[in-house]
Amino acid sequence: MEELSAYRILINGIVQGVGFRPFIYNLAATNQLTGWVRNTSGGVEIEVCGPEDRLQNFLSSIPREAPPLSRIESIEHQPIPADGYDSFEIHSSRVVEGAFQPISPDVSICEDCLRELFDPEDLRYRYPFINCTNCGPRFTIIEDVPYDRPKTTMRGFALCQTCQREYEDPRNRRFHAQPVACPDCGPDVWLESSGGGDQPLARGDQAILLTQKMLADGKIVAIKGLGGFHLACDAENRDALLLLRERKHRPAKPLALMLPDLEAVRKYCLVGAEEERVLHSPQRPILLLDRKPDSSLPGEIAPGQKRIGVMLPYTPLHYLLFSDEDQFPRAPYSALIMTSANLKGNPILTGNEQVREELGEIADLFLFHNRDIQIQCDDSVLRGTPLPGDKRDYIFPVRRSRGYAPQPLISPLSSSSLLAVGAELKNTFCHTKENYAFLSQHLGDLKNFQTLESFQISVSHFESLFRIQPTLLVHDDHPNYLSTRYALERSEAEGIASLSVQHHHAHIASCLADNLDSGEEPVLGLAFDGIGYGNDGAVWGGEALIANYQAYERVGHLAYFPLPGGDLAVLEPWRSALAVLHSLGIPWDEEFPAVAYAQSLPESLPGVSPLKALAGQLETGTNSPLTSSLGRLFDAAASLLGIRHTISYEGQAAIELEALADPVEAAAYPLEISPANVFSPWPLIAGILKDYRNQVSLPRISARFHNSLAELALELAGRIRTDRGLTRVALSGGVWQNMSLLRKTYQLLIGAGFTVLLHRNVPPNDGGLSLGQAVIGQSYLSREE
């Protein structure tokens, strides 16, 4: 008889709700081993017994053959007495006080379920909630851990005999798939008219087919998804699209497009192999792609832009909306607008009653279902570009949410737990526990009660799920951000220490953490951004910082110019344009479009034109904070060139200026940088105005503007390398979402021998700021502990 050995194995990571226990069960059966496996609040626990050679094969196979949605962070094993189990079993879950384990994000329907969805012989044929352990909702339905059905929003749906049998069979891919259901026992879908009470027009498959007909007829439908509702219409129906914009009060902000498959994407967009891989990944993000010049899609999908946001279907319901009763893809339309269903400035809506109350004036119909959404989670948005020397396109998140959150990032530091509350725009928060950084889903702009309430609910949910009790609250320096107020009020109420962090320091720290940099050696950080509260009270945003996690030194910046009207200047770029002219001593000549636009505005007070009022503000400094923001310089340039004088969404002027840039133009405007590395916009603006007067084309002027800023980045990096010996440059801040500027800057820096750190897992905009705050907080705690 062979001598038996035994091990206790503890596995941490994303190992629950992803088919990990049946994987272990079947792996043990293959190796003829005995013992048991179970979920705990901290991960997966195994006791396994058998001959040593088989045990070693079992251990080595776990990381090599693990389920596709799992992510193993650690495997620990130790020998135990060989008790000679009779078989291998799956035991009930065990709660471990204070323990935690990461949770899988929601993921797209898998190929097996997709095949069954369209198989007329299958139990779940055309069932919009088909799923298994390899796909479907996770984060948006879980209420608590361990991840078991009674602790999800599926607890109210009792399993039928067939589903129960699959749920209990370790050899079935639906073993302990918590959302598992079928038409006999699971959630239902129905269609309502927005003006006809709550009586369904149709249920089940007939509701989906009727929704198709209504969309094809030009109707706007609110459709309940995984982490919230979408507002949908036929993307090729220009009238429907314009009506949606009018009702949603969204005149110009781009709308997301859902296409049925990659073939359709190729029809409308220019798409490379790496972009196709990302589009078809289990995360199914929105990806910004160049539209084909001959595309039949209306320009109103993304006015003033060459790129459109495209995603593929990711739920069974989405696939059914693109199919008839016999075939996919076959529907009375070829593309759908799928934009987040919310009122302007508010979070995405998740509840049926909420939608009835708030979207009745926007949507004609509601496609509801009765699987509750525990926590909101908007679509993720990614963008990419080829970079010199990179084998694959550089693709990074503009918004990290569905498909990625709450999958933890690995922090380069480890400390006691903390909460970093982010900034105001594109808010996320970040909890840390040990070396895990749990970056939240995208929550939106934290400017009103509704978004603050969503923020607070999400913070509490994360702390419950991951068993976190923060010992430090980290916030932005800006005293009036709602996130800052939340942190300070909670600090006082609960006796938790707080730490204030400068906005652009957090940006550079976020980039370092995104690259798993230890932070031991400082870098030159170029924080090119919209707005951030500076330690001198000015509005920063064009910064050269020498930084690590402990501290920063400001070693250069854009020369200050006034921002007349403060926040109003962000919405009205003509104000920045005239302020830049004023600060440079350039007369307000009406031949410049920004000046002509200001002259056309009605009087703000009797006898006082907006132009005169602005001049008075600039002379006295009234409500005209000084700024070094490159984002506002982009605004000024766009308005001076007549591209955009007012905006309806953040960054619109800069985005439209970028969209015009001629990719082959190589010229640039001269630079003027002081010995203290303060760079004046004077030569840049003078060059723009000269070219404009000489009728140089806008694409060439735009390209020269971008080229000049890339040259500026190189010049600053060269000076700092000479003075301080730094050869690494970190690029962070919302301006670096500009692919034209990023490509040019990267090429120049790499060509000059610099190592360039870019964002890869979190956004360079304020959506990644909380990660930077968190690692700065971890560094602080490590020094204090």
Side-chain angles (χ1 to χ4, degrees), residues 342-363:
N342 62 318
L343 299 179
K344 188 173 182 178
N346 288 353
I348 187 171
L349 297 173
T350 59
N352 294 353
E353 195 55 41
Q354 269 186 316
V355 166
R356 287 191 187 102
E357 292 175 0
E358 297 190 28
L359 296 186
E361 300 297 318
I362 299 177

Side-chain angles (χ1 to χ4, degrees), residues 411 413-420 430-436 468-475 495-501 505 549-551 772-785:
S411 170
L413 306 180
S414 184
S415 70
S416 54
S417 298
L418 62 79
L419 167 62
C430 184
H431 280 102
T432 68
K433 189 159 188 175
E434 299 168 2
N435 68 332
Y436 284 117
I468 290 173
Q469 294 180 322
T471 60
L472 180 69
L473 299 170
V474 190
H475 59 84
I496 305 172
S498 65
L499 177 68
S500 184
V501 172
H505 183 203
Y549 300 134
Q550 295 183 26
Q773 292 175 338
V775 290
I776 290 170
Q778 286 184 304
S779 175
Y780 171 82
L781 286 174
S782 298
R783 299 192 304 274
E784 293 292 308
E785 290 172 350

Side-chain angles (χ1 to χ4, degrees), residues 401-449:
S401 202
R402 177 189 51 77
Y404 299 92
Q407 183 167 301
L409 301 160
I410 301 302
S411 170
L413 306 180
S414 184
S415 70
S416 54
S417 298
L418 62 79
L419 167 62
V421 298
E424 180 177 73
L425 301 180
K426 298 179 174 64
N427 181 265
T428 63
F429 59 83
C430 184
H431 280 102
T432 68
K433 189 159 188 175
E434 299 168 2
N435 68 332
Y436 284 117
F438 294 97
L439 191 68
S440 76
Q441 75 277 26
H442 167 80
L443 295 170
D445 295 347
L446 207 55
K447 289 186 172 184
N448 58 31
F449 172 77

Side-chain angles (χ1 to χ4, degrees), residues 11 45 135 164 176 195 219 294 336 369 442 489 523 577 779:
I11 304 176
E45 184 179 7
C135 68
Q164 187 75 38
H176 279 228
K219 301 299 184 185
D294 59 350
L336 288 175
H369 63 70
H442 167 80
E489 289 170 7
V523 299
S779 175

Side-chain angles (χ1 to χ4, degrees), residues 189-193 196-203 207 210 356 366:
V189 63
W190 69 94
L191 183 68
E192 290 181 16
S193 168
D198 57 0
Q199 291 304 307
L201 300 173
R203 285 189 173 275
L210 183 56
R356 287 191 187 102
F366 307 132

Side-chain angles (χ1 to χ4, degrees), residues 211-424:
T211 298
Q212 284 184 326
K213 181 179 183 303
M214 294 297 182
L215 288 167
D217 287 345
K219 301 299 184 185
I220 298 168
V221 185
I223 299 173
K224 191 174 185 179
L226 282 180
F229 280 78
H230 286 111
L231 285 166
C233 71
D234 180 354
E236 292 191 301
N237 185 328
R238 186 171 178 273
D239 290 339
L241 197 159
L242 292 175
L243 183 61
L244 174 58
R245 285 199 175 279
E246 179 185 340
R247 290 180 180 178
K248 201 168 187 272
H249 304 293
R250 188 171 174 169
K253 190 174 183 180
L255 300 170
L257 187 71
M258 182 174 282
L259 296 171
D261 53 23
L262 288 173
E263 183 179 348
V265 176
R266 297 183 196 112
K267 174 184 175 183
Y268 294 111
C269 303
L270 301 172
V271 57
E274 181 64 10
E275 291 167 321
E276 289 190 1
R277 183 194 67 79
V278 171
L279 278 170
H280 204 259
S281 68
Q283 291 80 19
R284 297 288 167 95
I286 297 170
L287 184 62
L288 300 180
L289 297 173
D290 287 327
R291 73 164 83 208
K292 285 187 172 179
D294 59 350
S295 168
S296 62
L297 293 170
E300 289 84 359
I301 291 175
Q305 299 195 36
K306 294 178 180 178
R307 291 197 165 205
I308 52 176
V310 175
M311 61 179 157
L312 295 179
Y314 55 86
T315 71
L317 179 58
H318 293 153
Y319 276 97
L320 292 172
L321 287 170
F322 280 104
S323 70
D324 63 13
E325 292 181 276
D326 301 313
Q327 187 177 343
F328 171 86
R330 189 160 71 190
Y333 38 76
S334 57
L336 288 175
I337 294 298
M338 282 283 198
T339 188
S340 300
N342 62 318
L343 299 179
K344 188 173 182 178
N346 288 353
I348 187 171
L349 297 173
T350 59
N352 294 353
E353 195 55 41
Q354 269 186 316
V355 166
R356 287 191 187 102
E357 292 175 0
E358 297 190 28
L359 296 186
E361 300 297 318
I362 299 177
D364 299 304
L365 301 115
F366 307 132
L367 186 61
F368 287 133
H369 63 70
N370 56 345
R371 184 178 67 200
D372 288 343
I373 298 170
Q374 175 65 20
I375 200 79
Q376 70 168 81
C377 196
D378 221 326
D379 293 316
S380 294
V381 182
L382 276 67
R383 188 173 188 180
T385 186
L387 289 179
D390 276 18
K391 294 181 180 178
R392 299 192 304 181
D393 283 358
Y394 166 61
I395 295 178
F396 68 97
V398 174
R399 182 168 78 197
R400 182 184 185 270
S401 202
R402 177 189 51 77
Y404 299 92
Q407 183 167 301
L409 301 160
I410 301 302
S411 170
L413 306 180
S414 184
S415 70
S416 54
S417 298
L418 62 79
L419 167 62
V421 298
E424 180 177 73

Side-chain angles (χ1 to χ4, degrees), residues 460-479:
S460 297
H461 191 53
F462 270 60
E463 291 179 2
S464 173
L465 289 182
F466 303 122
R467 306 300 193 254
I468 290 173
Q469 294 180 322
T471 60
L472 180 69
L473 299 170
V474 190
H475 59 84
D476 192 271
D477 277 351
H478 200 300

